[in-house]
Amino acid sequence: MRRINSSSLSLALSAVALFVALGGTAVAVSGQIGTGQIKNGAVTNHKIANGAVGNHKLANGAVGNRKLANNSVSNAKLRNGSVSASKLAPGAVSGASLGAGSVGTANLAAGAVGTTNLAVGAVLTNILGNASVTNSKLADNSVSTSKLQNNSVTNSKLADNSVSTTKLQNNSVTNSKLGNDAVTTDKVKDGTLTGADIAPNSVTASNIAPNTFVGGVGSLASGRIVVTAGNVAQLLDLGFGRIVGSCSSTNVPQLGFTPFFSGTNIVDWFTNSGGTANIHTTNAEPAGGTFTEANANATPQSVTWQIGFNNGSNHIATAQTSGQFQLGTGCVFIGQGTTTG
């Protein structure tokens, strides 16, 4: 019998064992084991050497989310610009993640920055830098009335000549706001000053223009009125009484004086047309009554009055008056006088 070599026997047994291990269907070709000779699931994790699986062995899209360890994707593995808005979770970007000065005006939604979003002093230090809010930082017409604190606009913030008449409330300029000698003659409305507006003994020859005021606290009075038949009207106001013109039902003109205070003394010179001039004197006339010079005919009447009254100080008035019938209208009266009021 032929002797079998022990090395050949070992090789034969190894081949048989491998054939059995592979289910009896594997065929050794040129000393290699192909994919077809490996059972599904036969290669386990501990059979793969560390670092043995290279990038070219991975199919596209083969590594899913579950295969990635937590915190395994580092910044270096992300492409620039690869993280889009849809990949960010709500609230994911915090202030610490923003670069200094990286958020510009174009990045803010309209009305996005409210009062609660601003830290104390943030507008000056964080947004505009250490400088304060300068004119160039404000849009034209951007600061409204509601943004100004009460009493916040001081005199130094007003441009010279910037406050116009329309910005002043009626009756807002009081005496204390007027400088000395600020009110000149052209600022006083004609006919508005009365005796009550002039302090006693304040008007002297040195501070009045010629022919404008009577010395002391006097004033000028003048008037012209038309009175219909059967009526009475005021011709001159002398301060402590008035001269009136009355027209009778037959159009007879008559002049009279009505005192405001009892105790008035009157001296008058009167002339009725076609008559004789007379002088009348009456003393202590009562307040409210009217002393009238009679005119018997419907003819012109002229009366010069000298009237006095004393209530602790003297009040004097002198007036020249006249009245006459005016066809179709009644009676017309004219007069002028001076009075201390």
Side-chain angles (χ1 to χ4, degrees), residues 286-300:
T290 299
F291 172 78
T292 303
E293 280 297 353
N295 187 4
N297 303 308
T299 57

Side-chain angles (χ1 to χ4, degrees), residues 121-133:
V123 174
L124 300 182
T125 58
N126 296 343
I127 297 177
L128 298 179
N130 292 330
S132 62
V133 178

Side-chain angles (χ1 to χ4, degrees), residues 4 9 50 113 144 158 167 192 222 232 245 266 303 312 323:
I4 299 174
L9 178 60
N50 292 336
V113 180
S144 63
L158 296 173
K167 299 299 187 278
T192 59
S222 62
V232 180
I266 303 171
V303 181

